[in-house]
Amino acid sequence: MSSRDLRSIGVFTTLAFGLAWLVALPLWFGDGLASSWFTVVAAATMMTPAIAALVVVFFVERPQQKVWTLGLWPLRPVRRLLGYGAVGIIVSIALVLVALPVGALLGVFPADFVNFSAFHQVLDEQAGAAGVAEVPIPIGALIAIQLAALPLAAFINLIPALGEELGWRGWLLPKLMPLGTLPALLISGVIWGLWHAPLILLGYNYPDAPGWLGVTAMVGMCILVGAVFGWLRLRSGSVWPAALAHAAFNGAGGTYLLFAKAGEHVDTTQATILGWSGWIVPLALVVILIATGQFASAKHP
């Protein structure tokens, strides 16, 4: 890797981290995650890697084919692009969902896969607040509707997810690939995880964990899930499948609430895709992908 590449990576990382902390400052000096501005701040934070990548591409490196460098183009071959996009959506949702029975089997996720008691409790509270005796739709049907709608989140959340993926997998991962596949996946995953610190240290994702543990857990998850997103980026030759996968992943993140047991605490450092039990399946998947040589970059037509 050349000194110019190292400089570009340094500029990109500094900008992405600096902008993320800058955007999060209103939360730190205000009401934290309880702030009415949280959703706006979180969405703005997701755009900072894209801003950093655009600055590097347009003002530092200035390659001739800028959209190619970012993975935004070409949108062909169409079949490959659509295929990996669909795979990304399905795999992301599957990784989030399979973490729940794995956590239940290991005794760290308090599951209720029969009566859906936690979800039932939430519905009863909402019905009571609305002055309705009970929800007219059977809870099993509501669960099915929620799960069937998950792929739509890949398109609803696509723009903010692209804000991250344009930086992490669009630009950074290919830039690190001269170091080798494993180092590139590890370094990009660590950077992605640490970038979340401004919100994680406020209690986001890991509300009951000390800050250092929350950030460490986030880094662990980002290494493994980021490797899956990285596989989509490299095999498709495009950032779009990774962005769709990221959007679907974010959309499915709250599904653990559908299957939890009422009155039980969920420790996200141990359970769900955020915790160590949820990393087992993505780790196995990444090992298989590496062992079968699936991280080789696609050849452009």
Side-chain angles (χ1 to χ4, degrees):
M1 181 174 288
S2 68
S3 59
R4 182 180 179 184
D5 288 338
L6 291 174
R7 183 185 66 174
S8 296
I9 292 170
V11 171
F12 166 81
T13 305
T14 300
L15 279 174
F17 277 56
L19 289 172
W21 277 101
L22 182 63
V23 171
L25 281 181
L27 302 183
W28 279 84
F29 290 106
D31 297 324
L33 302 184
S35 171
S36 59
W37 289 95
F38 172 74
T39 302
V40 174
V41 169
T45 302
M46 293 181 72
M47 303 308 295
T48 59
I51 294 171
L54 290 170
V55 168
V56 169
V57 168
F58 279 87
F59 299 104
V60 179
E61 294 185 323
R62 290 178 288 185
Q64 288 187 342
Q65 297 178 315
K66 295 177 177 61
V67 290
W68 287 59
T69 301
L70 293 166
L72 290 168
W73 197 265
L75 300 178
R76 64 179 193 275
V78 175
R79 181 177 296 181
R80 181 175 71 193
L81 189 65
L82 293 178
Y84 277 106
V87 168
I89 293 171
I90 294 168
V91 168
S92 287
I93 294 172
L95 290 178
V96 172
L97 293 178
V98 77
L100 305 181
V102 171
L105 287 172
L106 294 173
V108 295
F109 177 63
D112 184 355
F113 295 120
V114 177
N115 297 313
F116 315 109
S117 55
F119 186 46
H120 209 300
Q121 185 179 61
V122 171
L123 291 176
D124 288 344
E125 291 173 355
Q126 291 177 343
V132 180
E134 62 179 13
V135 179
I137 304 175
I139 193 166
L142 288 174
I143 296 286
I145 292 170
Q146 294 266 356
L147 295 179
L150 287 179
L152 294 177
F155 302 96
I156 295 171
N157 299 329
L158 180 58
I159 297 304
L162 181 63
E164 286 198 45
E165 288 305 311
L166 203 62
W168 309 132
R169 259 65 61 175
W171 183 84
L172 179 62
L173 180 63
K175 183 63 63 174
L176 292 170
M177 284 301 286
L179 298 175
T181 298
L182 280 175
L185 294 174
L186 180 62
I187 294 170
S188 62
V190 169
I191 291 173
W192 183 31
L194 292 176
W195 168 85
H196 287 87
L199 298 184
I200 299 297
L201 292 173
L202 288 172
Y204 186 67
N205 281 345
Y206 304 95
D208 303 313
W212 68 267
L213 180 58
V215 172
T216 301
M218 194 67 188
V219 169
M221 189 207 72
C222 285
I223 290 172
L224 294 172
V225 174
V228 177
F229 295 169
W231 164 66
L232 294 166
R233 164 67 169 105
L234 296 172
R235 290 302 295 169
S236 68
S238 171
V239 73
W240 293 106
L244 286 168
H246 193 150
F249 183 85
N250 287 352
T255 52
Y256 75 94
L257 297 171
L258 302 177
F259 303 104
K261 184 182 294 184
E264 296 289 335
H265 175 68
V266 178
D267 182 356
T268 50
T269 63
Q270 300 190 67
T272 78
I273 191 66
L274 295 170
W276 64 263
S277 64
W279 305 345
I280 296 172
V281 173
L283 174 60
L285 175 60
V286 171
V287 169
I288 292 170
L289 291 173
I290 292 174
T292 54
Q294 293 299 307
F295 281 93
S297 298
K299 295 181 179 179
H300 291 295

